[in-house]
Amino acid sequence: MTVQKPRLHVLLAGPRGFCAGVDRAIRIVEEALKRHGPPVYVRHEIVHNRFVVEGLERQGAVFVEELDEIPDDGQPVVFSAHGVPKSVPAAAQRREMYFLDATCPLVSKVHRESERHHARGRHLLLIGHEGHPEVVGTMGQVPDGAMTLVEDAAAARRVAPPPGVPLAYTTQTTLSVDDTAGIVAILRERFPGIEGPAKEDICYATTNRQAAVKAVAARSDIVVVVGAPNSSNSVRLREVAERAGAPRAVMVQRGAELDPALAEGCATLGITAGASAPEVLVQEVLDRLRDRFDITTEEVVVAVEDIVFRAPRMRAVA
């Protein structure tokens, strides 16, 4: 006798998963391995996803946290998609390393904006999360003391920039769109003359994925976010899902981490994935759910992305 599985309707948020910056960074490491052979050294996780990192390790990538862990063997060094302080390429040049910068072009845009504001005599307020590699990299584009970190609305209300100095603000690219708008509103109220970016610094991929998960969360009994706990944009997706009306939102890195019992009694489940999570991991979650439920799927698409970033030209192999 066949036991009938309970039905579960799955809403798949679109866009989800890889963005153009993540895709470009991974391609840079893979092309370097193809051209130069292993090892190719990568400073910090190329993107915040262990599945991706472990896949590149199997191909011969070696991940390190600092340049002093890398021997002088002439092999390529790749800087992660999150960006690095100016001190890092400067140190690589002193050691005559061959390095490739996989910084997302939208993060590089924030770096150039920061430099321009500093050159014009403005003190910078950076909205972001302390210790995140992108924040470390952005703060490292200007001299110490030229930028002040503002982590949340409470910090925006109490921040005390140098008196008599014109101000500008910039942001980490992977923040909550709604939270950041609230922080910017506080800063503009307190400092009416503050300069902002010509175009918002939160990247298109973060904005689109948050809009998509809002559309899914409003119809879901539970939302599953596929992503890593150290991935800022993935953590924000879980927070946005809860605020958008999902009774519960959970994060998993792989399908095996998901307890299907969480969906017992649910009619509709939403799924999204952070910008550094490949689609294969979403399929793992679907397969995990199929073990317990008779599922139907529906794509909920709020935007179509067709952006592609070109990888830098690589040095010819001698």
Side-chain angles (χ1 to χ4, degrees), residues 204-227:
Y204 78 92
T206 296
T207 302
N208 289 345
R209 278 151 191 73
Q210 288 180 20
V213 81
K214 284 180 182 179
V216 163
R219 298 171 53 192
S220 299
D221 300 306
I222 184 172
V223 171
V224 177
V225 178
V226 181

Side-chain angles (χ1 to χ4, degrees), residues 53 59 78 181 205 212 245 254 273 306:
V53 168
Q59 296 177 53
V78 181
R254 303 288 301 268
D306 56 5

Side-chain angles (χ1 to χ4, degrees), residues 183-194:
I183 294 169
V184 169
I186 294 167
L187 294 177
R188 288 198 179 280
E189 182 180 357
R190 290 191 61 203
F191 312 109
I194 194 168

Side-chain angles (χ1 to χ4, degrees), residues 71-100:
D72 292 317
D73 59 5
Q75 286 295 99
V77 181
V78 181
F79 301 150
S80 82
H82 311 97
V84 295
K86 284 185 175 180
S87 58
V88 173
Q93 287 173 337
R94 284 194 298 273
R95 287 182 57 185
E96 298 183 342
M97 288 177 157
Y98 169 41
F99 63 87
L100 297 162

Side-chain angles (χ1 to χ4, degrees), residues 25-290:
I26 294 168
R27 281 190 286 116
I28 289 171
V29 178
E30 290 177 335
E31 183 62 25
L33 284 163
K34 191 183 302 180
R35 288 201 182 199
H36 300 276
V40 167
Y41 302 99
V42 186
R43 185 187 179 276
H44 192 66
E45 288 187 342
I46 187 69
V47 296
H48 284 156
N49 187 279
R50 286 306 305 169
F51 178 84
V52 172
V53 168
E54 289 168 4
L56 292 172
E57 285 177 332
R58 286 192 292 272
Q59 296 177 53
V62 176
F63 290 86
V64 301
E65 286 303 310
E66 299 298 341
L67 296 184
D68 58 15
E69 301 173 52
I70 301 173
D72 292 317
D73 59 5
Q75 286 295 99
V77 181
V78 181
F79 301 150
S80 82
H82 311 97
V84 295
K86 284 185 175 180
S87 58
V88 173
Q93 287 173 337
R94 284 194 298 273
R95 287 182 57 185
E96 298 183 342
M97 288 177 157
Y98 169 41
F99 63 87
L100 297 162
D101 189 356
T103 300
C104 173
L106 299 179
V107 175
S108 296
K109 166 186 165 287
V110 175
H111 290 181
R112 303 294 80 78
E113 285 174 350
S114 300
E115 290 175 327
R116 285 194 295 271
H117 284 308
H118 176 66
R120 290 168 184 164
R122 299 181 183 121
H123 183 82
L124 281 146
L125 301 180
L126 171 63
I127 302 170
H129 299 295
E130 185 173 11
H132 189 277
E134 184 183 329
V135 165
V136 173
T138 299
M139 296 191 79
Q141 302 305 306
V142 295
D144 289 347
M147 185 180 288
T148 300
L149 183 63
V150 177
E151 290 201 82
D152 52 28
R157 292 188 187 98
R158 66 173 181 265
V159 66
V165 178
L167 298 176
Y169 76 87
T170 188
T171 81
Q172 186 178 334
T173 63
T174 54
L175 301 177
S176 160
V177 173
D178 295 336
D179 286 352
T180 303
I183 294 169
V184 169
I186 294 167
L187 294 177
R188 288 198 179 280
E189 182 180 357
R190 290 191 61 203
F191 312 109
I194 194 168
E195 291 281 341
K199 186 177 180 183
E200 289 304 320
D201 289 331
I202 295 177
C203 79
Y204 78 92
T206 296
T207 302
N208 289 345
R209 278 151 191 73
Q210 288 180 20
V213 81
K214 284 180 182 179
V216 163
R219 298 171 53 192
S220 299
D221 300 306
I222 184 172
V223 171
V224 177
V225 178
V226 181
N230 62 338
S231 165
S232 175
N233 76 86
S234 299
V235 173
R236 303 290 83 74
L237 286 174
R238 186 189 60 75
E239 295 171 351
V240 169
E242 289 182 335
R243 293 176 187 175
R248 186 173 186 186
V250 298
M251 182 185 296
V252 298
Q253 296 192 71
R254 303 288 301 268
E257 289 183 14
L258 177 67
D259 179 3
L262 291 174
E264 285 290 350
C266 296
T268 307
L269 177 145
I271 298 179
T272 188
S276 50
E279 181 64 14
V280 64
L281 301 184
V282 173
Q283 296 305 314
E284 284 187 1
V285 169
L286 287 170
D287 289 342
R288 180 78 163 162
L289 291 169
R290 286 190 183 99

Side-chain angles (χ1 to χ4, degrees), residues 9-33:
H9 189 53
V10 177
L11 303 176
L12 296 167
R16 63 181 178 272
F18 274 5
C19 63
V22 165
D23 180 70
R24 173 182 179 270
I26 294 168
R27 281 190 286 116
I28 289 171
V29 178
E30 290 177 335
E31 183 62 25
L33 284 163

